[in-house]
Amino acid sequence: IALADGSVLVTGGSDASFNQLNSAEHLPLGAMATWQDAGNMQVARSNHTMTLLDDGRVLIAGGMSGMTNGTIQIESSAEVFSNTLGRADFSIVSSMGQPRVNHTAHWLPAQGKVMVIGGYDVSVYGEGGVLVLRNSTNSTKFFDPNLEGGEGGWEEAPSMNLPRAEHASALLDDGRILVIGGWDESGSAARSAEVYDPSDEKWTLIENIGDGLVGRRAAALGNGRVVTSGGFAGEMATATTAVFDPDAFSASVSMNEVRGYHSLTRLPGNKLLATGGTVQAGGALAIVDGFKSAEIYEAGAPASTSGGGTTVQPDGPDGWVDNHKILTTSDGKTQINDMAALSDGSLVVAGGI
C-alpha cells in the first residue's frame, strides 16, 4: 500500500511453503530506494486488507493466520501501523467481532471511516478432503479511527443484500462503493453487483449483470467511471471488461489477455494498469498458471493492439493497449500480487505466486 509520504508498505502474506508471515517491509520514495525492515505485525496473516487512514496510519484487518486443529484459522483481529519519527509500530486494536478473509475494505471520506466488506468466516473440508473456505458473509463493519481514545474501534454497518467473498470492489469518485460478483453463500458465483451510498447508508442491488465472476478486479478511472476486468466464470479466466457509469454497466473492449486474480491500478491521465493474474483455477485454494504480462486501459484510446497487429474497437473510445514486451514484472510469473501507485507516477508490484 502507498503511504501518505509516498513510500510503500508491504505486510504479511505467505512464504514459499504457504506459511503465514508477520514480517513487514518498507520502500522509501526514490529511484534508488531499497526495501527496509519495517518490523513485525502482532499477528501473522495473509489475504488480509490494508487501508490508509486520513491520519496517515494503516488499518490491517482479518485474513488467515495458519492452521489450528486441522482447519484454517481465520482472523477477526485487526491492528494499526504507524510510522512516527521514523519508528515503525504495529498495535492491536479491538476485534472486528467476526472473522473474515478474502474480503475488501475502503476508506469513506464522507464518513471518515473504513468499511470492511464481506469475505469468508469459516473453513471446512470439502470433497476429497480438500480444505476450503466457506460461508461467505453479507456483513460489513465500520472502523472509526477516532473511537477508543483515538486508537480506533469498530461499529456496525449496513449489510449487503447478498453474501460475497473474493468479490471486486472500488470506491467511486462520488464517494459510493461498488461491489461486483464474488462467491455467494451457496458457493456459486454471484451474477449481481451492489452499490453502497454513504448519504443514506444503504446498499442498492444491481441484478443480472452477466456471468457470475470471482477474482475480477475493479478500479476507478478518475472520470466518474469504474472499469471492471477479468475474473472467472468457471475454471478458466475471461478477458471481458465492463464500465460502470454512473449507475449501470456497459460492455467495453476486452483485454488482450485473459486473466483473473490480477492487479488493477489507476495511473495518471485516466488510465489503468493490469498486471499478472492467472488463466486457470485448479481448485478452491489452488490457482495455477500465473503469468507476468501487463496492459494499460486508456480512456479514449483509438485502438487496441495485440500481437503486433491492430484491432479496431467495436463499441467505444476506451480500450486496452497491449505493451506486454515492455510492461513485464521483473521476475517470474505473478498472480495475486500487490501493486501500489506512487506520487511520482511510478508503480511498485510486489510478491505474488
Side-chain angles (χ1 to χ4, degrees):
I1 187 172
L3 303 180
D5 63 2
S7 61
V8 174
L9 176 70
V10 172
T11 63
S14 302
D15 63 17
S17 299
F18 292 94
N19 298 310
Q20 276 66 42
L21 305 172
N22 68 344
S23 59
E25 298 186 51
H26 177 245
L27 180 68
L29 184 64
M32 302 301 293
T34 58
W35 289 97
Q36 301 174 1
D37 180 19
N40 294 321
M41 293 187 292
Q42 299 294 322
V43 176
R45 61 180 89 219
S46 65
N47 300 67
H48 51 286
T49 54
M50 294 194 296
T51 312
L52 184 66
L53 307 179
D54 65 346
D55 60 9
R57 296 182 296 163
V58 176
L59 172 67
I60 300 162
M64 62 178 77
S65 58
M67 302 286 289
T68 301
N69 298 323
T71 61
I72 299 172
Q73 181 67 36
I74 301 176
E75 285 293 321
S76 61
S77 68
E79 49 193 293
V80 168
F81 169 84
S82 61
N83 190 10
T84 305
L85 300 177
R87 181 180 178 182
D89 179 69
F90 291 91
S91 302
I92 287 287
V93 294
S94 59
S95 167
M96 291 186 288
Q98 178 183 8
R100 63 182 78 219
V101 65
N102 292 353
H103 52 293
T104 58
H106 295 279
W107 172 256
L108 289 168
Q111 294 178 278
K113 302 174 183 179
V114 174
M115 176 177 266
V116 175
I117 305 164
Y120 300 111
D121 63 7
V122 70
S123 65
V124 299
Y125 283 99
E127 185 177 351
V130 177
L131 192 60
V132 294
L133 297 167
R134 282 289 183 266
N135 196 33
S136 55
T137 178
N138 67 341
S139 73
T140 72
K141 279 290 189 75
F142 286 136
F143 179 83
D144 187 337
N146 297 311
L147 293 178
E148 300 187 21
E151 292 185 359
W154 296 93
E155 299 177 328
E156 295 299 322
S159 294
M160 294 184 290
N161 292 279
L162 298 174
R164 303 175 189 271
E166 300 185 46
H167 50 281
S169 65
L171 181 67
L172 281 68
D173 294 337
D174 60 13
R176 297 179 298 160
I177 293 176
L178 172 68
V179 176
I180 307 148
W183 294 115
D184 64 19
E185 75 277 18
S186 68
S188 300
R191 300 167 57 90
S192 64
E194 42 194 303
V195 176
Y196 173 75
D197 190 338
S199 65
D200 60 10
E201 297 192 353
K202 292 182 179 179
W203 288 94
T204 299
L205 184 65
I206 305 172
E207 296 186 279
N208 301 320
I209 62 171
D211 288 335
L213 292 167
V214 298
R216 197 163 174 84
R217 296 295 184 252
L221 263 178
N223 57 4
R225 293 180 291 170
V226 168
V227 172
T228 72
S229 70
F232 288 85
E235 290 192 357
M236 297 300 295
T238 178
T240 60
T241 301
V243 175
F244 183 79
D245 176 27
D247 293 299
F249 289 94
S250 60
S252 186
V253 174
S254 294
M255 292 185 291
N256 295 284
E257 301 268 9
V258 297
R259 60 182 85 225
Y261 295 102
H262 50 294
S263 288
L264 185 64
T265 301
R266 179 176 165 184
L267 300 174
N270 296 336
K271 299 179 182 180
L272 301 175
L273 176 65
T275 63
T278 183
V279 299
Q280 183 176 0
L285 294 179
I287 300 174
V288 296
D289 292 338
F291 53 92
K292 64 179 183 179
S293 70
E295 50 190 302
I296 291 175
Y297 184 92
E298 294 185 358
S304 174
T305 62
S306 179
T310 299
T311 302
V312 177
Q313 299 176 40
D315 56 358
D318 296 0
W320 292 94
V321 178
D322 180 9
N323 288 324
H324 67 276
K325 292 182 180 179
I326 301 172
L327 295 170
T328 57
T329 50
S330 59
D331 262 321
K333 301 177 178 181
T334 60
Q335 42 104 351
I336 321 183
N337 56 81
D338 280 328
M339 184 162 56
L342 307 184
S343 58
D344 62 2
S346 60
L347 294 102
V348 174
V349 180
I353 302 173

